[in-house]
Amino acid sequence: MIVERVERYINIAAFCAKTRAHGPGLRSVVWVQGCRQHCPGCITPEWQSLEKAQLASILQLGQVILAEGVSGVTFSGGEPFLQADSLVLLADLLRMGGIRDIICYTGYTLGQLLLSGNSDAARLLARVDVLIDGPYIESLNDGKGLRGSTNQRVHRLSERGKAMDFDFENCPRRVEIQVSEHETLMVGIPPKGMLEAIE
């Protein structure tokens, strides 16, 4: 049973319980810690380290998300496919609880993931509705949509993904600044020049 299997942990960089800036509808966002891509211009270089950041119980994290009443979840990072096995368990828990759609970002291409022979990657892909793939290339950032750069492709992997009435490539970018007692978190894909303006 799934509940018996989720007494495991996922190494997360950050978590947002509710947002409308990272995909259609009201959704939660889980950013995992660790990435091997090291893309120049990455907006979260501190999330590249493979060291332990925040170890979150998969069961508890799933329960928190389900209690928020969101319709969807976005996995980002960091690199989600470095923790594909844990995200598979989280995705299963969320589906059982009624989460409608799952969006996932990755610095790998879909082709690389399919050819990798990694069974955990294949299992995660089978649970993702929309995959936004490819490394971030700063010179190809056109300031539009929920892709960081135009080389990244939007793959609607499921019937749910294909039915989503949302323009991932060209929608205006939205950013939310969420302030808590312990941190300030920028949620969303920033429009060009925004980070420089904030700094």
Side-chain angles (χ1 to χ4, degrees):
M1 186 174 177
I2 184 71
V3 174
E4 297 172 352
R5 295 171 53 223
V6 294
E7 290 302 333
R8 291 178 47 184
Y9 294 85
I10 184 168
N11 188 18
I12 66 171
F15 170 69
C16 174
K18 290 183 179 180
T19 182
R20 294 187 182 276
H22 230 307
L26 188 64
R27 59 199 311 109
S28 295
V29 185
V30 178
W31 290 274
V32 301
Q33 179 72 31
C35 182
R36 295 191 176 108
Q37 299 284 342
H38 300 291
C39 301
C42 173
I43 63 172
T44 53
E46 66 276 16
W47 294 353
Q48 294 176 5
S49 169
L50 299 177
E51 300 297 317
K52 181 176 71 174
Q54 306 173 56
L55 288 184
S57 158
I58 294 172
L59 180 58
Q60 291 178 359
L61 181 58
Q63 290 172 335
V64 167
I65 292 171
L66 294 174
E68 293 295 336
V70 297
S71 61
V73 175
T74 299
F75 297 151
S76 189
E79 173 51 60
F81 281 86
L82 293 183
Q83 298 186 61
D85 57 342
S86 295
L87 288 176
V88 164
L89 296 178
L90 179 58
D92 285 346
L93 182 63
L94 296 174
R95 290 288 195 205
M96 288 177 60
I99 290 297
R100 186 184 65 209
D101 63 76
I102 296 175
I103 297 169
C104 185
Y105 286 82
T106 178
Y108 300 107
T109 66
L110 177 58
Q112 287 173 324
L113 293 172
L114 291 173
L115 293 172
S116 69
N118 185 314
S119 60
D120 290 328
R123 291 168 62 224
L124 181 55
L125 286 172
R127 288 154 174 82
V128 168
D129 299 298
V130 175
L131 183 78
I132 301 175
D133 76 345
Y136 173 66
I137 299 177
E138 193 169 20
S139 63
L140 298 180
N141 182 352
D142 64 355
K144 297 188 300 183
L146 292 189
R147 303 177 298 178
S149 52
T150 57
N151 62 295
Q152 297 173 327
R153 299 179 60 196
V154 177
H155 303 273
R156 297 174 184 259
L157 300 179
S158 71
E159 292 305 315
R160 283 182 299 267
K162 293 172 185 174
M164 290 169 69
D165 184 18
F166 189 82
D167 187 353
F168 288 91
E169 291 90 345
N170 299 297
C171 67
R173 290 183 179 174
R174 295 178 57 181
V175 170
E176 297 173 2
I177 305 297
Q178 300 193 2
V179 180
S180 69
E181 181 180 351
H182 303 291
E183 67 178 354
T184 299
L185 184 64
M186 183 180 68
V187 184
I189 309 296
K192 292 184 72 172
M194 180 176 180
L195 292 179
E196 292 81 357
I198 290 175
E199 291 172 0

